[in-house]
């Protein structure tokens, strides 16, 4: 992926090593943690999505542990990992600003917070064990970049564009929030059965995959920055973190009724659909008869 030299976003907050981001978290990429532990943690929290604390009513000051938060600052200029995610975030800003403008609306850029271990969010205390997540309450994406090491070494999903897909998926949740989609889904919680709630969550997550595919399509048109194997690495990442694959590796059984993000095949299908079409209409997972 030819990302060097492209614009970096100003909307990145670096909380790593500032006292508010470290200590007490569950570093899933840490030394000595086996793949079974990693998979169980990811199943428990969900593999990058909307912060699950928002779905169980745990809001700031509402029962989550208090975490002291130091003032945020920009990442250091020589941090290549931070430069990469800043560049990808800038590209999502460009793509979604244009798409919203074409639809007669104004896009609001999200913030991306880099942290280590645990961090305070408007949705409660974020933890590394959640994987990357989006908090609708503060319009921020939260990322402990150790997750990228976990993707490569333990989940079998290496590659820069696989990492870009993760960022784009989270930004997809921000787009859903701006469009009122995630709010409508959240409003149904408690009114429907757990099975129906899980089914809605799957459609929400698959749509975020599709929106990530739209970003891949539009960013490639604008920058021609994808290289051979890049799309394949994103597709592989989607396949590796399907609910069925994670459940099978963790427990030996698969329970479709408990899926919250979709199967490997479904995640691949919807990311690919967004990438091939570049169309918002093609990403209406809620109207789809079959996922």
């Amino acid at each position: 992926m030819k990302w060097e030299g492209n614009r970096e976003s100003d909307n990145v907050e670096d909380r790593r090593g500032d006292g508010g981001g470290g200590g007490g978290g569950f570093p899933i990429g840490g030394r000595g943690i086996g793949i079974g532990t990693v998979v169980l943690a990811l199943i428990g929290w969900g593999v990058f999505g909307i912060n699950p604390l928002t779905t169980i009513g745990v809001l700031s000051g509402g029962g989550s542990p208090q975490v002291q938060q130091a003032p945020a600052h920009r990442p250091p200029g020589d941090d290549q990992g931070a430069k990469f995610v800043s560049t990808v975030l800038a590209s999502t800003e460009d793509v979604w600003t244009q798409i919203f403008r074409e639809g007669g609306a104004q896009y609001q850029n999200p913030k991306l917070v880099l942290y280590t271990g645990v961090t305070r969010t408007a949705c409660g205390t974020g933890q590394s064990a959640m994987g990357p997540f989006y908090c609708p309450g503060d319009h921020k994406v939260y990322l402990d970049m150790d997750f990228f090491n976990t993707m490569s070494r333990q989940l079998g999903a290496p590659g820069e564009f696989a990492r870009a897909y993760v960022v784009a998926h989270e930004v997809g949740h921000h787009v859903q929030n701006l469009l009122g989609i995630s709010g409508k889904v959240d409003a149904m919680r408690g009114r429907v059965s757990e099975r129906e709630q899980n089914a809605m969550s799957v459609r929400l997550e698959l749509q975020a995959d599709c929106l990530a595919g739209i970003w891949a399509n539009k960013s490639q048109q604008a920058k021609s920055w994808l290289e051979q194997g890049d799309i394949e690495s994103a597709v592989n990442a989607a396949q590796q973190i399907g609910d069925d694959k994670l459940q099978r590796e963790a427990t030996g059984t698969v329970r479709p009724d408990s899926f919250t993000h979709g199967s490997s095949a479904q995640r691949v299908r919807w990311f690919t659909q967004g990438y091939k079409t570049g169309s918002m209409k093609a990403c209406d997972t809620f109207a789809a008869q079959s996922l």
Side-chain angles (χ1 to χ4, degrees), residues 100-278:
F100 270 58
R101 183 181 298 124
E102 290 171 355
Q106 184 174 357
Y107 181 65
Q108 302 170 32
N109 294 333
K111 295 278 188 179
L112 190 153
V113 178
L114 304 178
Y115 74 100
T116 303
V118 294
T119 194
R120 185 77 173 273
T121 85
C123 301
T125 299
Q127 302 182 39
S128 297
M130 297 174 181
F133 63 89
Y134 172 71
C135 174
D138 54 22
H139 290 197
K140 293 181 179 181
V141 171
Y142 290 86
L143 171 65
D144 184 332
M145 288 205 296
D146 278 347
F147 182 75
F148 290 156
N149 294 328
T150 300
M151 285 178 62
S152 298
R153 300 172 185 171
Q154 296 172 296
L155 298 179
E160 285 183 334
F161 201 68
R163 299 179 177 191
Y165 155 63
V166 171
V167 175
H169 175 98
E170 296 309 328
V171 173
H173 283 307
H174 177 65
V175 171
Q176 291 172 317
N177 191 30
L178 294 180
L179 295 177
I181 298 170
S182 52
K184 290 180 180 178
V185 170
D186 193 55
M188 293 298 294
R189 301 185 191 279
R191 303 181 184 179
V192 298
S193 68
E194 182 179 356
R195 179 178 179 178
E196 291 170 315
Q197 183 172 308
N198 288 342
M200 288 191 297
S201 176
V202 166
R203 290 180 183 270
L204 193 71
E205 295 295 337
L206 293 179
Q207 186 177 62
D209 281 333
C210 193
L211 297 178
I214 290 180
W215 163 77
N217 174 296
K218 301 297 185 183
S219 70
Q220 174 64 358
Q221 288 183 26
K223 300 179 182 298
S224 298
W225 61 353
L226 299 186
E227 299 177 288
Q228 185 175 1
D230 280 343
I231 289 297
E232 289 79 3
S233 72
V235 167
N236 175 61
Q239 189 169 27
Q240 296 302 323
I241 45 79
D243 285 329
D244 55 339
K245 187 175 189 302
L246 292 174
Q247 287 185 359
R248 188 178 296 110
E249 290 181 349
T251 67
T253 60
V254 175
R255 298 175 51 234
D257 287 352
S258 69
F259 288 180
T260 57
H261 285 64
S263 69
S264 294
Q266 289 170 336
R267 301 201 71 164
V268 169
R269 175 195 169 189
W270 284 98
F271 171 80
T272 303
Q273 180 149 314
Y275 176 67
K276 287 184 175 179
T277 66

